[in-house]
Amino acid sequence: MEHPPDDPKPEEHNGFLNRVAGYNPQRSWRTWLIGHPLPTAAAPHQTVSKAVGLAVFGADALSSIAYAPQETLVILAAAGTQAFGYAFPISLIITILLAIVTISYLQTIHAYPSGGGAYTVVKENLGVPAALVAAAALLTDYILLAAVTVASGVAQIVSAFPELFAFRVWLSVGLLVLIAIANLRGVKESGNTFAAPTYFFLGMTALTVAVGFIRYLSGTLGDVADPPRLESLHTGPITLFLLLRAFSNGTTALTGVEVIANGVRSFREPRTRNAAVTMIWMSTLLAVLFLGIVYLLGVIGAVPSETETVISQLARTAFGSRGVLYLGTITATTVILILATNTAFAGFPSLSAIIAEDGFMPRQLTFRGSRLVFSRGIISLAAVASLLIIVFNASVTALIPLWAVGVFLSFTLSQAGMAIHWWNNRRPADKRLTNKEMKHPYDPGWRWKLIINSLGAITTAIVTLIFAITKFTDGAWIIVILLPALVISFYRVHRHYVSLAQDLSLEHYGQPPPSKRHRVIMPVSAVHQGTLEALDYALSLSADVTVVHVSIDPAQTEKLQHNWNWWGKGVRLVVIDSPYRTFFEPFLEYVNELCAILQPNERLTIVVPQFIPKHWWHNLLHTQTAFWLRFALLNKRGVVITEVPYQVR
Amino acid sequence: MEHPPDDPKPEEHNGFLNRVAGYNPQRSWRTWLIGHPLPTAAAPHQTVSKAVGLAVFGADALSSIAYAPQETLVILAAAGTQAFGYAFPISLIITILLAIVTISYLQTIHAYPSGGGAYTVVKENLGVPAALVAAAALLTDYILLAAVTVASGVAQIVSAFPELFAFRVWLSVGLLVLIAIANLRGVKESGNTFAAPTYFFLGMTALTVAVGFIRYLSGTLGDVADPPRLESLHTGPITLFLLLRAFSNGTTALTGVEVIANGVRSFREPRTRNAAVTMIWMSTLLAVLFLGIVYLLGVIGAVPSETETVISQLARTAFGSRGVLYLGTITATTVILILATNTAFAGFPSLSAIIAEDGFMPRQLTFRGSRLVFSRGIISLAAVASLLIIVFNASVTALIPLWAVGVFLSFTLSQAGMAIHWWNNRRPADKRLTNKEMKHPYDPGWRWKLIINSLGAITTAIVTLIFAITKFTDGAWIIVILLPALVISFYRVHRHYVSLAQDLSLEHYGQPPPSKRHRVIMPVSAVHQGTLEALDYALSLSADVTVVHVSIDPAQTEKLQHNWNWWGKGVRLVVIDSPYRTFFEPFLEYVNELCAILQPNERLTIVVPQFIPKHWWHNLLHTQTAFWLRFALLNKRGVVITEVPYQVR
């Protein structure tokens, strides 16, 4: 007997009844907000060209042009405007750092053509504990990436429309919510969404820098007209510590560089080559624009401020007014920052799903929502990032110190993992391949590659340390405490799942003989139709039924006893006097006494008549006995609580 | 076989097993906060002398001296300081009103020696609908009494310590919480608590007035030094409407006058006489002090203000400085206001318990807490009053318009009820007494008494109207909407209880034959010890067990089917494919299909294996299937949900 595969009628399959749910999702506010549910079979896969890949995976890194120069200047401002001269030399060092990190990641692209996220690389080469440290760093990074980029995007908007300054926190939270909704719908990382804004941004930024330089060389580029007030009133000396702090802030320009290496799998074949070429292009563009902007900012005497970004100051000075080109630059910068936020929304949920799959985070995070996205991860990210924005008052400068220490820690671990990877591949292949050696194919260039990744690891480790030390009191201490706490909680979650699996395991499980006696007790306060229905149910479970009445009002008790003689079907009634007018304590005491004398294979079921009113608000007019009873007896072994609902017609 | 009465062992009683709970309340933060639970037998009763009765039942009325003059002046201030001259004439009219209301209530004392609260009097003479209107008015009054007196008390503190002004809202809420805790402990309305502060207040106020008059007559009483700024900047003309509004505010002096009539039962014998004498004393003191203060305020040119009360201005002018006597007056005024708050905490919970007893409010309000007080009423009152204080920013002037309209409405209804009472008693007794006439004994003086109470009813009705009209836009409209809404909700609650009682009634209840078949279904996601324990339980309920698996992940389903062959004891397994990866919708669809073909006396039980973790936070790591299932199936007739808990060792 055969049915067509989509027939909803039951069919025999492997000897079991098998059916397909005929459930058809209904339209509701939920489908309106996040779209109609998608069946599991609809999961897509597509690849991108180099040009689109630059837009999709480069948006995060390129967007750092929007905040890294500003955050460098903010620190230098503490020593007065004359310290701004140090910004360009610092930027040169950062560009060298960018080159080292880029070359290191180019090797990751070749070694991990299916995507070399830090968690994967570190787990494979340095083991699980280090991978969990990287995971903790990456998760906090994603959260801070979302908070910083949205706050920075809003700072651009506020620069153009100063009257919105008072609403920047709620603008940021609103934007985060919109991005979260878009991701709950399932934003495809497709060219349509990313290509146009990213290239618009690149074009506008390049135009700003180009016009700036032309006017600078022709001598027509003046200072910023009407610059914002310098906020730092305290003018200290220029110390090495100050310069290192400025350098730390500037290194945020490197955030997002690793994204292309994570996404190799999405490139068109030959994918490793295409990804590598894209990465070189991206780093070059980033370096040129970053250096150009920092240089011009020094020329025009831009002033870092919460009310107007330096990008805004540069654009209106270069273009000579707040005209169309100015607004184009600000719009492009805002949009790219929001696209960068989306990197967090793509990365956080899928990383937490991978960690949850390994049993280190709640399993629910692996569940794909109605639109096939990891909805719980998306919502968690939006919630935590919103909280950060509210707490830090949407200030990019306040959020930055928390951020980059985690980014560079994950860089360091990832590069160290790569170095170990090459070390493992140092032996030439021979005929007697063991299983372990199969995993580590010989690479003739292992020496050079080891050196490059080691250099990457050491440089980023130094930056991590500089960042942690110079930013410690500004907020980096939060991360220094948070990361170990996260790693510990990963382990506690893991221990729970492992010990649960052992406890529930059927290995060595001598199934106990089925229970023989079934004792039923049922609390009653009065005799009515609901009580009798529950009594009927109780008698269907067992012949050993005891009805228990906790006496608070003697008159009510007497009435109950009278009625029980008539309606109680001869079932045993126990009356417990409660001198303190409480129901739970005497009843629980009775249950505990019974449990103490329960035999090994005897069961105790508590049947609670539960009245279900017509309107939900009627519940306020009744005591929710069963609910509290279940709560109180949660940890009693062998006790089952059954609510027998009684619905009023 | 006899046991001593306090023996906790079971004993036969009326043929039922009877036992006394051995439960001994434990020390916890709760007992630390509100005291050790009291057994039901501990309920006390005591009577008070005239002097103590004046303190206990007069505190509320006497405390109105602290705000009524100020609130009269606040309104007049709208027409500039020259309008303050009208304050004294208005006070004279209010004093006449006080005399009428006092004489009216003296009659209530004689007619209802067991306590003539407005709800009782109106219910007996005007019927339930009018009584519910009175009840709604009284409940809102108590809430506003609590809010106004606490806010006024804090206004006195703030007058003496102006730096506390910014914290007045939280000071008020904090005081309310303290008073609520004291009442949850069970404050005895005893002389100890009330007598000393009330007489201290009377003494200090009398001293202030006396010193003021002596210095006035000797010509040494000057104007207020450094008075607060007059807040009303808009100076309008002196209109009749303005004078009526000022009069309305001044009538708050009458609030609390009825309290003695409610509490006749607590007086020593001859209780009606003692209560009547106390009432006359109280009204006389109130009238003299009220008139004296208003007169002196005019003399010294006091200015009503949110930052310093007029009482404070009078005290420091009369005593010439902010010295010990000044602080004594402020302290006494603050303390009496807090005692007046306590009147609300005594009245609200017991009135709601009476209304709940009649079935018009949730039954839970009749339940006496561990300290024998109506704890839920106390907590509700504190919560709503706190909310009002926060919303109205602890401003007495903002709260007053909401208040007195309810007070005078309950006065009116109560006096009208008394008038009907005398009308019913108009016929001389004759030998052929019917049941109805027994309740209305002939009163030879009925004509005079009828006239007095009618005069009281008409006067207070006029005041109610004046208040509602002149204060409508200031906030009285809230009450005009709130009272009918409350009365409607009383009726809806009542209808629910009545229809529920009918639905549950055993009259005409042809008990249905006991259920014959019992169908059990059990959802499973995987086979483990918890599943097998639940299966064992399910099989103990019925032989007709179906296990249902909603398939989201094909690999998991295949493993389950394999394991079920081995461990499933041959129980039928139904697999439902869920293309949208949801569990609930397909499972509920299956349950609904089964329900549709359920026979009349067939039962359906859903057994849900429920994992109970060692630590509560572990629940975050699991899906709470049973909880959501119960929620979804709440209204399904004949379906019982049983959680079989599985505790990890």
Side-chain angles (χ1 to χ4, degrees), chain A residues 104-105 107-109 111-128 130-131 134 138 258 261-262 351 354 410-422 424 440 453:
Chain A
S104 300
Y105 269 107
Q107 301 204 146
T108 307
I109 290 176
Y112 286 89
S114 59
Y119 182 70
T120 318
V121 172
V122 175
K123 197 171 104 181
E124 239 173 65
N125 297 296
L126 298 179
V128 170
L138 284 167
E258 79 288 4
N262 299 351
L351 178 60
I354 292 172
S410 72
F411 281 177
T412 308
L413 286 168
S414 173
Q415 294 308 320
M418 286 305 299
I420 300 290
H421 174 82
W422 302 123
N424 285 334
H440 300 298
N453 280 127

Side-chain angles (χ1 to χ4, degrees), chain A residues 19 369 503 577 581 605 648, chain B residues 19 369 503 537 577 581 605 648:
Chain A
R19 35 187 286 161
D503 282 343
D577 276 342
R581 299 165 307 288
T605 296
V648 172
Chain B
R19 37 186 286 160
D503 281 342
Y537 185 86
D577 275 342
R581 301 166 307 286
T605 296
V648 173

Side-chain angles (χ1 to χ4, degrees), chain A residues 148-405:
Chain A
V148 166
T149 48
V150 159
S152 179
V154 169
Q156 306 295 339
I157 299 174
V158 166
S159 300
F161 306 99
E163 59 276 17
L164 293 175
F165 185 78
F167 307 106
R168 58 183 186 154
V169 170
W170 301 113
L171 272 175
S172 307
V173 171
L175 263 177
L176 262 180
V177 170
L178 285 181
I179 296 167
I181 290 172
N183 277 279
L184 286 173
R185 294 186 77 97
V187 166
K188 304 252 167 32
E189 286 186 341
S190 69
N192 305 334
T193 327
F194 277 79
T198 305
Y199 284 103
F200 179 48
F201 168 74
L202 283 175
M204 288 311 301
T205 313
L207 186 66
T208 312
V209 173
V211 170
F213 267 101
I214 290 165
R215 292 188 61 195
Y216 169 54
L217 296 173
S218 65
T220 60
L221 187 72
D223 281 358
V224 184
D226 192 16
R229 206 171 47 78
L230 190 61
E231 276 145 17
S232 169
L233 295 171
H234 168 79
T235 302
I238 301 173
T239 60
L240 177 65
F241 188 73
L242 184 84
L243 296 179
L244 285 176
R245 286 183 68 209
F247 167 74
S248 300
N249 267 13
T251 56
T252 54
L254 270 69
T255 55
V257 167
E258 79 288 4
V259 174
I260 290 181
N262 299 351
V264 182
R265 203 162 36 160
S266 304
F267 279 83
R268 253 179 227 154
E269 292 291 356
R271 60 189 185 193
T272 51
R273 213 193 100 83
N274 283 338
V277 171
T278 310
M279 182 144 192
I280 293 168
W281 266 105
M282 191 216 51
S283 291
T284 311
L285 283 169
L286 176 57
V288 169
L289 293 175
F290 179 63
L291 285 175
I293 287 173
V294 173
Y295 190 80
L296 286 175
L297 289 177
V299 170
I300 64 169
V303 169
S305 155
E306 292 272 318
T307 50
E308 190 186 2
T309 63
V310 291
I311 297 294
S312 166
Q313 293 170 45
L314 175 60
R316 68 183 165 88
T317 310
F319 297 131
S321 73
R322 289 185 184 254
V324 176
L325 287 174
Y326 165 79
L327 282 179
T329 306
I330 296 299
T331 310
T333 312
T334 310
V335 172
I336 193 101
L337 283 164
I338 288 160
L339 288 187
T341 312
N342 213 64
T343 306
F345 277 92
F348 183 92
S350 60
L351 178 60
S352 16
I354 292 172
I355 303 171
E357 194 80 56
D358 288 351
F360 291 100
M361 280 178 84
R363 285 269 159 80
Q364 291 99 311
L365 290 168
T366 64
F367 175 78
R368 282 179 188 270
S370 63
R371 298 282 292 182
L372 282 167
V373 295
F374 299 110
S375 13
R376 287 154 196 189
I378 292 171
I379 293 168
S380 313
L381 172 61
V384 181
S386 298
L387 194 71
L388 275 177
I389 283 179
I390 294 168
V391 168
F392 287 90
N393 208 11
S395 161
V396 177
T397 306
L399 285 164
I400 286 280
L402 279 73
W403 189 17
V405 71

